[in-house]
Amino acid sequence: MENLMEKIVSLAKRRGFIFPSSEIYGGFGSCYDFGPLGVEMKNNIKKSWWKEMTGNHENIVGLDAAILMSPQVWQASGHLTAGFADELVECKKCHHRFRKDFLKENKCSDCGGELTEPKKFNLMMKTFVGSLEDEAVTTYLRAETCQGIYLNFLNVLNSMRLKIPFGIAQIGKAFRNEITPGNFIYRTREFEQMEMQWFCHPKEADKFFDYWKKERMQWYLNLGIKKENLRMVEVSAKERAHYAKRQVDIEYRFPFGWHEIEGVHNRGDWDLSNHSKYSGKNLKYEDYYPYIIETSVGADRSFLTFLVAAFHEVKGGRTKTTEAKKEVEVLLKLHRELAPVKVAVLPLIKNKPELVKKAKEVYQMLKPYFTCQYDELGSIGRRYRRQDEIGTLWTITTDFDTLKYDTVTVRNRDTMSQERVKISDLVKVIDKKLRE
Ligand code: GAP
């Protein structure tokens, strides 16, 4: 299973999905950069989530709040005090640091050394705002994006003339000084969250909690995640986040075990009442504090989920053409909404200028509509393999019939079946397939 993660990490780097950050300097603190295909796929995930929230549901509007906020926000939210700290232990021998709850035994998992007593370690990342160092304000990079939503609760309510219940959706960066980041992009110190906060009457909170739990599970299923690899776990009072009255974690079965990918929380009136208290502004709706049901997922963590779920190795190879046949071929079965490249255009052979010219014309025609690649290097079988490995949905080939009839072959990634389509119909045909 470890081996499987290694293969996925290696594919991600080799094919331009994810690179280690600051690599030429030896990397930096579990930070990662999304490459040309990675950024397309991550944008597709964010687009799908955004459409799900603001398009497929009633009464949800968007927001894009600043990362930097008044430091008082984090006093009020409880992140500087209450629960936003992990227990850190250090090995007395090799000085490696660990999150206590991640260790299976009371010994260092790296060298077996004795551990120090646990210390509380706050995860907020400090920063300074202002040009004069001694007058600069100390604040924090946001540890969750939703605080910007609570601060704008009245602005959004009034400017959009909304009534409760309604939701605010936001996507953006968050930062946590994690003690033990790891498992590739599963736990990092800089990540993106996709959060939706649903404001409702306290009496309706349980009903909406159940509703959002189901909706969120369905999103993963709709995007091709198998039911048997997903589960919901109700989190006990002792384990819950400091703001949560109720918490359900959606977990995915990764090669390294079952782990949380999304949290659905009933935050009660924790946030609005505390911000009212600390700011002196009345954040009540009519005469009560609305309860907040939150759905919160990492864009990076769901990226890893979709990548792991899509990764397939086909033993013995799929193509039967001799030059392309390999022991194992990789097929990335990404959902059509998420695949970073929708179509690739290939001339059947490179040394026929007419076929190359036609293929380039087709590529130029499709490019404004779909993410598209052009590839003429290597045998046709090999080029199909290269596209399967990055999850390209359809591979279009110009061949000798193209010159006679102005048609091309369209090959389906998963079935490898091919159909002939008139060049003049291609945009319409691909567009239709994308919506099927
Ligand atoms: N506003 C609620 C909140 O932030 P959370 O359970 O702490 O709740 C929600 O985080 C989601 O954000 C997680 O389920 C995960 O997908 C993502 N996330 C949290 N910490 C992360 C980290 N260090 N690296 C990557 N993703 C992270």
Side-chain angles (χ1 to χ4, degrees):
M1 281 306 172
E2 289 285 298
N3 195 11
L4 178 58
M5 277 309 289
E6 274 168 27
K7 286 178 188 167
I8 291 171
V9 173
S10 144
L11 174 83
K13 174 153 187 230
R14 191 162 40 82
R15 301 308 310 272
F17 286 84
I18 299 171
F19 309 127
S21 166
S22 316
E23 196 183 10
I24 60 167
Y25 289 101
F28 184 70
S30 283
C31 294
Y32 290 93
D33 299 337
F34 286 79
L37 297 194
V39 66
E40 291 291 344
M41 179 168 154
K42 199 178 187 199
N43 281 343
N44 290 343
I45 293 173
K46 292 192 275 186
K47 233 185 285 168
S48 168
W49 183 88
W50 193 261
K51 182 172 77 138
E52 170 69 7
M53 287 300 173
T54 65
N56 297 348
H57 286 95
E58 297 284 311
N59 273 354
I60 300 185
V61 293
L63 184 77
D64 184 11
I67 290 176
L68 297 174
M69 288 177 259
S70 161
Q72 285 168 289
V73 172
W74 305 105
Q75 285 292 349
S77 71
H79 282 78
L80 291 178
T81 45
F84 200 64
D86 287 332
E87 290 205 311
L88 176 147
V89 288
E90 189 173 317
C91 172
K92 290 182 181 168
K93 211 159 121 199
C94 72
H95 300 288
H96 287 173
R97 293 171 152 209
F98 305 93
R99 240 175 91 167
K100 185 167 178 286
D101 57 334
F102 283 3
L103 287 176
K104 290 199 183 82
E105 289 169 32
N106 278 335
K107 290 267 170 203
C108 170
S109 60
D110 288 348
C111 76
E114 201 187 322
L115 299 172
T116 57
E117 283 301 306
K119 284 199 295 234
K120 283 277 183 192
F121 178 80
N122 192 280
L123 304 183
M124 298 292 297
M125 275 204 200
K126 228 181 233 176
T127 189
F128 305 97
V129 178
S131 54
L132 291 171
E133 219 170 277
D134 36 347
E135 286 171 26
V137 174
T138 302
T139 189
Y140 303 86
L141 301 182
R142 64 185 177 192
E144 52 173 9
T145 59
C146 55
Q147 292 300 328
I149 294 184
Y150 310 140
L151 304 188
N152 282 293
F153 166 64
L154 288 184
N155 283 338
V156 173
L157 180 85
N158 296 332
S159 60
M160 303 307 286
R161 300 207 267 144
L162 292 162
K163 284 196 168 58
I164 272 171
F166 72 91
I168 304 179
Q170 177 170 234
I171 300 177
K173 291 265 183 173
F175 302 83
R176 296 182 191 175
N177 217 348
E178 298 281 0
I179 299 169
T180 0
N183 284 324
F184 195 28
I185 56 166
Y186 179 83
R187 182 172 285 102
T188 50
R189 296 193 171 108
E190 171 180 345
F191 52 97
E192 249 179 312
Q193 289 187 313
M194 308 189 285
E195 298 200 302
M196 194 282 298
Q197 311 295 312
W198 183 256
F199 299 86
C200 64
H201 192 281
K203 282 198 181 127
E204 292 198 306
D206 284 336
K207 179 183 85 181
F208 284 123
F209 186 79
D210 288 339
Y211 172 79
W212 281 110
K213 245 168 44 185
K214 292 196 191 101
E215 291 294 287
R216 293 307 302 144
M217 277 296 267
Q218 196 55 47
W219 185 71
Y220 294 100
L221 297 170
N222 291 349
L223 290 172
I225 304 292
K226 290 208 176 86
K227 212 174 171 172
E228 62 267 26
N229 292 332
L230 280 175
R231 70 180 187 193
M232 280 195 278
V233 178
E234 179 95 38
V235 180
S236 69
K238 197 167 148 264
E239 305 273 305
R240 280 200 289 264
H242 64 274
Y243 45 73
K245 277 182 175 315
R246 255 187 96 185
Q247 174 175 343
V248 157
D249 287 348
I250 299 179
E251 296 189 344
Y252 179 71
R253 196 205 310 247
F254 286 100
F256 45 91
W258 284 99
H259 286 280
E260 174 199 338
I261 52 174
E262 169 154 2
V264 180
H265 308 132
N266 176 352
R267 296 179 71 123
D269 66 4
W270 168 267
D271 302 281
L272 290 183
S273 66
N274 275 322
H275 284 307
S276 283
K277 199 161 81 194
Y278 278 75
S279 69
K281 296 278 179 312
N282 178 5
L283 300 181
K284 281 183 176 160
Y285 177 83
E286 293 171 351
D287 59 350
Y288 64 92
Y289 288 115
Y291 270 26
I292 291 167
I293 308 300
E294 154 181 80
T295 73
S296 174
V297 50
D300 319 74
R301 209 173 268 190
S302 58
F303 188 111
L304 185 62
T305 307
F306 292 119
L307 191 62
V308 166
F311 186 88
H312 286 77
E313 286 184 313
V314 184
K315 300 241 155 54
R318 301 169 85 213
T319 28
K320 300 303 161 204
T321 50
T322 46
E323 77 280 31
K325 198 163 181 284
K326 284 199 208 150
E327 293 268 304
V328 177
E329 287 178 10
V330 172
L331 173 64
L332 205 59
K333 270 183 141 179
L334 287 166
H335 186 275
R336 61 181 185 281
E337 268 187 43
L338 307 184
V341 180
K342 306 300 182 203
V343 278
V345 185
L346 329 170
L348 182 65
I349 39 177
K350 192 188 161 189
N351 50 12
K352 274 274 171 246
E354 312 92 286
L355 291 188
V356 168
K357 184 167 173 278
K358 268 283 172 204
K360 285 189 175 161
E361 278 170 23
V362 171
Y363 168 67
Q364 288 302 338
M365 179 185 86
L366 296 177
K367 211 169 147 302
Y369 300 97
F370 315 105
T371 45
C372 194
Q373 283 196 349
Y374 172 81
D375 187 7
E376 59 178 31
L377 292 181
S379 71
I380 188 74
R382 229 171 242 138
R383 282 178 280 155
Y384 281 150
R385 300 284 68 74
R386 278 209 286 270
Q387 295 302 329
D388 289 348
E389 199 179 44
I390 59 170
T392 304
L393 298 166
W394 298 287
T395 310
I396 293 169
T397 305
T398 56
D399 57 15
F400 294 102
D401 279 354
T402 309
L403 305 177
K404 280 193 240 160
Y405 308 110
D406 242 15
T407 58
V408 289
T409 60
V410 177
R411 171 187 178 270
N412 177 304
R413 175 193 71 194
D414 298 339
T415 61
M416 293 193 296
S417 65
Q418 301 198 8
E419 59 183 305
R420 285 208 85 84
V421 176
K422 279 178 76 173
I423 291 177
S424 56
D425 288 342
L426 261 181
V427 171
K428 212 169 58 196
V429 168
I430 301 285
D431 193 52
K432 184 156 171 277
K433 283 179 187 294
L434 275 172
R435 290 163 202 276
E436 266 163 12

